[in-house]
Structures are given as structure tokens and as C-alpha cells.
């Protein structure tokens, strides 16, 4: 793994830091903040707040991918994300990620100025996404996902699935130094699988790519603590701390300020033993 990665006009320290990807859902039905940021002025104010609190990337999503979500049309998704991406890029100096697995949406977002592609299907839903990433020469975050939970050995099978994703990337011409991996907490996994994915995160790190951990407010936290989505901040922070300890280079969160403090404290303790 390289020590650094360029996303947009920013250089990220992959070895010594854990950077925050702040979540901006411009969807009316997101599981945790549905409808809060569909108004463009409110969305931009929220982006400003997240940047001030320490977000280093803004991840824009136009379709909810919560369990049981209904897929929206490509036209609708494009109409939600493109204006927001253009406005963020015009107003702020921050890399923007497009959270989509559909090539027409990805292409429209890249044309609008997106700097990174965040594909929750690890290039397996729409192979043209891989071609676009290679052609635009942008970094990508490739997530582990599958449409079942039939594992023989969960960790080994997850790693095998990720190697398939990496092979698709290679065949498309995506360079190794442009790839981030995500274990896909909450996707194609049981409750126990999600806990194991976090607990064994170092196994994904061992593949040699920077890793992003995305657990913010997810059901694994809600089920563990028996709490609704808007009361899962502390649970999320614990997963962030574990991510930092296990070598994650990025975390994707809703609550930037709290998770940034958790990262800084964890890093201070870890660095004291060097």
C-alpha cells in the first residue's frame, strides 16, 4: 500500500491518519436522516458544518440503500445528486464522492466534478462503472456486498469476494493506487457477520489497500444497544476507534465532530507507545 493517495486536489496520509468521509444523503427516505438535506440551502449549510468539524471528503448519495429500499430511476437519482455536487464544488474546496453503483449516475456525477466513486456493489452490479473509473482516472471505494448470507467461512469468503472485485478493477485498467476497500458492514451479512467484519478488519487491511469503515448509525449498532438510528452516535464512535486501531485509513460517518474527537484521542494513545 502506498503511504498517500490523491483524491481531488488533496493528498491523504494513509499510514498515519484516519480521515473522515462525511455523509450527505440527498434522499427523502434515508434510514438515518431521510429528507433532512433535500433542500439545497440546508444541504450546503450541512456540508459547511461537516467541513468545519473535520470532514475531509463529502459523500453524496441520491438513493437510499437501507435494507428493503426501493430502487429509484436513474433520471431521478441524477437529478438529486448532480446539482448538489456542482454546488459543493463551486462553493467549497473539498473532494466529493459519488455514492452510486449505476454507470449513468456515476458518469453524470464525474462530469459534474465528483472526485471519487463509492460503489456499494464493488463493481459487480454494473461493470461499466469500472470502465468509467479507469477512463476518468479517479479513485474508488469498492465495498464488499452480495445478495445472500450463505458463507462457509465468513472472513475467508468475504476476502475471496473482494479479490473478485479487485480482478474486475484490474481488468478495467484501474490502477492499484486508486483503490480503497470497504468491508460492507450492513450489506449481505447477518448481525454476527457485521460484528466479525469490524472485529477482523485487519484481515481486509492485509490485502494491501487502504480501508474505509462505514458503520455510522447502522443496524448492527441499533441491535446491539437497542437504540433508534438517531441515538447511535456513541456506538458508532466505538466502531471508529476500533477501525483506527485496526488500520482503517477512512471512516464514513454522519456525526463528524464526535467521530473526529474519537479518532484524535485514539491516535494520541496509539502514538504514545511508539
Amino acid at each position: 500500500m502506498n503511504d498517500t493517495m490523491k483524491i481531488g486536489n488533496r493528498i491523504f496520509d494513509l499510514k498515519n491518519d484516519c480521515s473522515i468521509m462525511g455523509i450527505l444523503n440527498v434522499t427523502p427516505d434515508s434510514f438515518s436522516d431521510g429528507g433532512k438535506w433535500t433542500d439545497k440551502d440546508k444541504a450546503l449549510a450541512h456540508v459547511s458544518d461537516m467541513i468545519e468539524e473535520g470532514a475531509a471528503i463529502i459523500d453524496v448519495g441520491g438513493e437510499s440503500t437501507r435494507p428493503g429500499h426501493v430502487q429509484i430511476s436513474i433520471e431521478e437519482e441524477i437529478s438529486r445528486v448532480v446539482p448538489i455536487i456542482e454546488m459543493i464544488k463551486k462553493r467549497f474546496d473539498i473532494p466529493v464522492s459519488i455514492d452510486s453503483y449505476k454507470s449513468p449516475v456515476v458518469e453524470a456525477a464525474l462530469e459534474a466534478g465528483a472526485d471519487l466513486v463509492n460503489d456499494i456493489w464493488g463493481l459487480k452490479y454494473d461493470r461499466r462503472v469500472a470502465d468509467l473509473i479507469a477512463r476518468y482516472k479517479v479513485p474508488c471505494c469498492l465495498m464488499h456486498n452480495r445478495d445472500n448470507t450463505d458463507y462457509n467461512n465468513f472472513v475467508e469468503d468475504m476476502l475471496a469476494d473482494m479479490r473478485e472485485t479487485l480482478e474486475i478493477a484490474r481488468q478495467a485498467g484501474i490502477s492499484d493506487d486508486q483503490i480503497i476497500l470497504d468491508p460492507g458492514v450492513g450489506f449481505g451479512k447477518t448481525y454476527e457477520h457485521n460484528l466479525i467484519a469490524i472485529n477482523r478488519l485487519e484481515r481486509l487491511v492485509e490485502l494491501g489497500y487502504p480501508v474505509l469503515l462505514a458503520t455510522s448509525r447502522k443496524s448492527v449498532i441499533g441491535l446491539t444497544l437497542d437504540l433508534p438510528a438517531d441515538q447511535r452516535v456513541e456506538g458508532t464512535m466505538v466502531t471508529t476507534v476500533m477501525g483506527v486501531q485496526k488500520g482503517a485509513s477512512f471512516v464514513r460517518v454522519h456525526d463528524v465532530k464526535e467521530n473526529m474527537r474519537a479518532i484524535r484521542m485514539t491516535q494520541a494513545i496509539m502514538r504514545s507507545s511508539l
Side-chain angles (χ1 to χ4, degrees):
M1 184 173 86
N2 289 356
D3 288 351
T4 60
M5 174 182 271
K6 189 168 191 274
I7 304 174
N9 61 1
R10 194 168 296 195
I11 305 291
F12 288 82
D13 181 345
L14 305 174
K15 286 279 171 75
N16 305 303
D17 204 1
C18 182
S19 302
I20 288 184
M21 177 185 277
I23 300 169
L24 182 67
N25 288 316
V26 285
T27 57
D29 58 344
S30 167
F31 82 95
S32 63
D33 54 3
K36 276 179 85 170
W37 317 119
T38 49
D39 175 86
K40 289 180 178 58
D41 289 336
K42 284 183 183 171
L44 287 174
H46 185 50
V47 170
S48 180
D49 289 343
M50 287 196 289
I51 293 170
E52 200 171 306
E53 290 171 356
I57 306 169
I58 301 297
D59 190 46
V60 177
E63 177 184 83
S64 173
T65 51
R66 74 191 194 287
H69 77 281
V70 177
Q71 198 175 64
I72 60 171
S73 73
I74 283 163
E75 294 73 25
E76 171 73 11
E77 194 173 345
I78 289 172
S79 74
R80 289 178 183 180
V81 299
V82 163
I84 287 288
I85 292 169
E86 289 174 343
M87 289 166 76
I88 295 170
K89 294 303 293 185
K90 191 173 173 184
R91 191 167 307 185
F92 305 102
D93 180 26
I94 191 165
V96 172
S97 164
I98 174 63
D99 179 2
S100 183
Y101 52 91
K102 302 171 198 162
S103 59
V105 179
V106 168
E107 187 163 23
L110 290 170
E111 284 294 319
D115 304 290
L116 181 145
V117 176
N118 184 12
D119 182 351
I120 66 160
W121 277 103
L123 307 176
K124 292 179 181 179
Y125 179 89
D126 180 346
R127 298 294 177 97
R128 192 167 164 261
V129 170
D131 298 330
L132 287 166
I133 292 164
R135 191 199 321 156
Y136 281 81
K137 292 185 169 59
V138 290
C140 55
C141 182
L142 307 177
M143 195 185 90
H144 176 263
N145 202 347
R146 54 158 73 182
D147 57 12
N148 62 73
T149 56
D150 305 330
Y151 301 93
N152 291 316
N153 178 313
F154 170 67
V155 173
E156 298 307 326
D157 291 354
M158 179 177 75
L159 295 174
D161 290 349
M162 297 271 18
R163 289 188 189 99
E164 289 173 7
T165 282
L166 289 166
E167 186 54 35
I168 297 168
R170 268 192 279 277
Q171 288 176 3
I174 299 171
S175 93
D176 268 353
D177 61 5
Q178 296 277 67
I179 295 172
I180 301 164
L181 299 180
D182 175 348
V185 172
F187 293 83
K189 296 169 186 67
T190 66
Y191 169 74
E192 286 294 335
H193 292 150
N194 286 319
L195 292 173
I196 295 166
I198 300 165
N199 193 32
R200 301 304 303 279
L201 194 70
E202 72 278 358
R203 292 295 308 280
L204 192 60
V205 173
E206 285 164 10
L207 290 181
Y209 298 83
V211 166
L212 175 143
L213 183 62
T215 58
S216 188
R217 302 184 187 174
K218 285 185 175 175
S219 62
V220 64
I221 297 167
L223 290 167
T224 303
L225 303 178
D226 191 22
L227 290 172
D230 62 355
Q231 292 182 38
R232 299 175 187 171
V233 182
E234 299 93 343
T236 300
M237 289 163 67
V238 172
T239 65
T240 291
V241 169
M242 291 200 73
V244 173
Q245 288 178 320
K246 290 176 177 290
S249 299
F250 302 90
V251 290
R252 177 182 179 275
V253 299
H254 300 85
D255 305 287
V256 175
K257 177 179 67 180
E258 294 86 347
N259 282 280
M260 177 56 81
R261 290 173 179 172
I263 289 169
R264 285 184 180 147
M265 193 68 219
T266 307
Q267 288 174 334
I269 295 167
M270 289 172 69
R271 285 171 183 157
S272 73
S273 63
L274 295 178

